[in-house]
Amino acid sequence: MLGSYDERYSAEESVRTCNTDAEESETAEKTLFFGDVMQALSAAAPCGSTVRAVGFDRADIFLRAGYRTVEGDSDVTVARGGEREFDTARKTKCKKLILCPTHAYAAAAAPLYRTQDKIFGIMRRGQKPYAAVFDSGDADENIASLFGEILSLDLAAFDLTFGAYMRGERTDGDLTDRIAKLVSDLTAELKPLEKNREGAKRALTEAGKTAARIVEQRPELLHASGAAQTAEALRMLCAAEDRPFGMRGEIETLLGAYIIDFYIKSLTYNKFDFPPDNNKRIDSVCEYFNADLRRACVYASPIYPPLKMRLCEYRRDEFRSEQMRLLTGLAKRRKNAWQVFKRLYPDDGYGLRSLIDKTDIGICLALAPDVFAADSMLSFLKQTGRLEKYII
């Protein structure tokens, strides 16, 4: 529909892979899951192998086990943390990659990962993890954000489905149902654990494993949603203005509420607006986000030709009832999860009121399709001209 990120960035970005030809068949297998990093390392390589540790305060645990720690290329790279640490780990060659997520659970088994090109967020394909370590004792203290990461998959599943409708492809109802069940079950499990942090961490870690398996099969879920696009725009705005930015799980959850409501209203709106002005949009990306003009031109999504736009509008109308049904269910699950999400914070969500400045939402929503590629409904709404009015 919109062109994949590989198509859009092929002139600008090389696809990074750490695999040799001999390892390709091995990395096609499922990522192994462990509860302890040393168990994962023992399964990956024998004692005496070289290990590069990323995100660990101390590497002596590997030395005591008989491994040799190095800073460069290694037999095994072990990364602890989130997407930033996963990105760092993939920048050196290794035979096997082990990820130990303290957050970003859903990304722990996927070959796709989020990184940056200067100030722009992008997705790259890299080495598939040999193993992932899910340790509830090592979970990030912001457990609300952990919950938010899983909630965000729900909207991503809808946007994947919308993209399939627009391209005339078969939709994956099983994927949508699995994620909906995961969100509903986790919400019900967390409700009595709102003030039991250790119990909540265990529940979130187990749900994180399920999310990782789902994303392993459909890695595009990591970047598919309008909330993910808008969160990237907000991150760029905060960086440009030297303001703090929250964790991705909580930011995407907060933005998701606006996106879902915007989607529902858009499906009931039949009036067509003027086509988008990409020159104005590129200038705005440079102005608000301090972007380089050349890169802003590369990342701006192209305007649809009239014939393609008419076909997409027809498909939007043809499948309107199916889309509305999915969005209604999504909104209901989000409403049920919202109270649980807030109460996972020590202050019961009081600080959320100042986490996002509402005056930023309009410009970030409007420019999101031009800073982060995704076949989302938000990207389609750019083509209809519905986002232009938010660009000041």
Side-chain angles (χ1 to χ4, degrees):
M1 170 183 141
L2 303 172
S4 68
Y5 56 85
D6 283 329
E7 292 170 338
R8 283 179 56 188
Y9 305 145
S10 59
E12 184 75 10
E13 298 297 329
S14 61
V15 177
R16 180 179 301 276
T17 177
C18 300
N19 300 338
T20 64
D21 292 339
E23 293 164 345
E24 287 181 354
S25 61
E26 178 183 14
T27 55
E29 300 297 326
K30 281 188 174 182
T31 297
L32 302 176
F33 286 177
F34 294 89
D36 179 80
V37 64
M38 296 313 301
Q39 291 177 354
L41 185 56
S42 297
C47 291
S49 301
T50 56
V51 175
R52 184 189 180 209
V54 176
F56 289 84
D57 295 330
R58 300 174 62 183
D60 55 348
I61 59 171
F62 306 117
L63 295 172
R64 289 198 303 268
Y67 293 91
R68 294 180 294 139
T69 59
V70 296
E71 292 298 322
D73 297 349
S74 61
D75 295 321
V76 182
T77 296
V78 185
R80 172 186 175 273
E83 288 182 314
R84 182 175 58 183
E85 289 77 17
F86 301 167
D87 176 29
T88 300
R90 283 179 162 112
K91 287 180 178 175
T92 56
K93 292 184 179 179
C94 62
K95 294 179 180 177
K96 292 181 178 177
L97 175 66
I98 298 174
L99 301 181
C100 308
T102 59
H103 54 288
Y105 288 142
L112 289 185
Y113 65 102
R114 197 184 328 236
T115 183
Q116 287 181 225
D117 167 35
K118 300 295 183 180
I119 65 169
F120 286 91
I122 59 172
M123 297 298 296
R124 279 183 173 167
R125 183 174 296 275
Q127 181 172 3
K128 191 175 188 300
Y130 167 80
V133 179
F134 294 88
D135 181 0
S136 62
D138 201 30
D140 193 276
E141 289 302 312
N142 190 338
I143 58 177
S145 183
L146 301 182
F147 185 34
E149 291 173 6
I150 295 174
L151 291 180
S152 297
L153 294 178
D154 214 357
L155 180 56
F158 168 79
D159 274 316
L160 273 185
T161 301
F162 181 86
Y165 283 137
M166 293 299 102
R167 294 189 300 271
E169 298 175 358
R170 183 178 66 86
T171 60
D172 191 345
D174 179 63
L175 174 72
T176 303
D177 292 343
R178 288 172 65 195
I179 292 177
K181 184 177 187 306
L182 173 62
V183 169
S184 298
D185 290 350
L186 181 57
T187 299
E189 186 176 2
L190 287 175
K191 191 170 181 60
L193 300 174
E194 290 168 350
K195 300 307 175 186
N196 180 352
R197 295 186 63 81
E198 295 308 312
K201 284 183 179 181
R202 288 192 292 270
L204 287 163
T205 302
E206 288 302 312
K209 293 180 184 178
T210 304
R213 283 296 186 214
I214 292 172
V215 174
E216 182 180 24
Q217 297 170 4
R218 295 297 299 273
E220 56 270 39
L221 281 165
L222 291 175
H223 68 103
S225 78
Q229 292 175 284
T230 309
E232 281 295 336
L234 181 59
R235 178 192 62 77
M236 292 170 66
L237 180 63
C238 289
E241 298 180 353
D242 196 23
R243 288 192 276 144
F245 184 71
M247 293 185 69
R248 185 167 297 279
E250 56 191 352
I251 295 295
E252 289 193 16
T253 297
L254 292 173
L255 291 173
Y258 293 97
I259 299 293
I260 294 168
D261 184 61
F262 188 57
Y263 282 3
I264 291 173
K265 290 178 179 178
S266 296
L267 282 177
T268 60
Y269 179 85
N270 293 316
K271 181 181 177 181
F272 298 111
D273 297 299
F274 290 104
D277 182 348
N278 256 12
N279 290 329
K280 179 181 177 181
R281 299 177 70 85
I282 290 169
D283 288 342
S284 296
V285 169
C286 295
E287 176 186 352
Y288 284 99
F289 305 144
N290 287 341
D292 172 80
L293 178 60
R294 184 179 66 88
R295 278 189 166 81
C297 292
V298 169
Y299 286 97
S301 56
I303 308 299
Y304 285 4
L307 183 62
K308 181 176 182 178
M309 190 62 198
R310 287 196 291 270
L311 176 59
C312 287
E313 289 169 348
Y314 168 80
R315 284 172 170 160
R316 187 268 315 275
D317 296 338
E318 175 68 18
F319 297 102
R320 188 189 301 271
S321 60
E322 288 94 330
Q323 295 167 52
M324 190 63 78
R325 176 181 58 80
L326 291 173
L327 283 172
T328 301
L330 173 55
K332 183 178 179 180
R333 288 189 296 276
R334 182 62 63 100
K335 182 179 179 181
N336 292 336
W338 176 244
Q339 185 181 72
V340 176
F341 173 76
K342 290 192 299 180
R343 294 182 181 177
L344 289 175
Y345 288 96
D347 64 359
D348 299 315
Y350 176 78
L352 290 174
R353 299 185 302 174
S354 59
L355 190 61
I356 295 179
D357 189 333
K358 291 185 179 180
T359 60
D360 295 335
I361 294 177
I363 192 65
C364 291
L365 185 77
L367 297 178
D370 292 319
V371 299
F372 197 67
D375 274 358
S376 67
M377 186 174 179
L378 187 62
S379 293
F380 170 75
L381 289 173
K382 172 205 165 172
Q383 302 293 332
T384 67
R386 289 293 312 278
L387 304 182
E388 299 304 289
K389 61 184 177 182
Y390 300 107
I391 302 176
I392 302 172

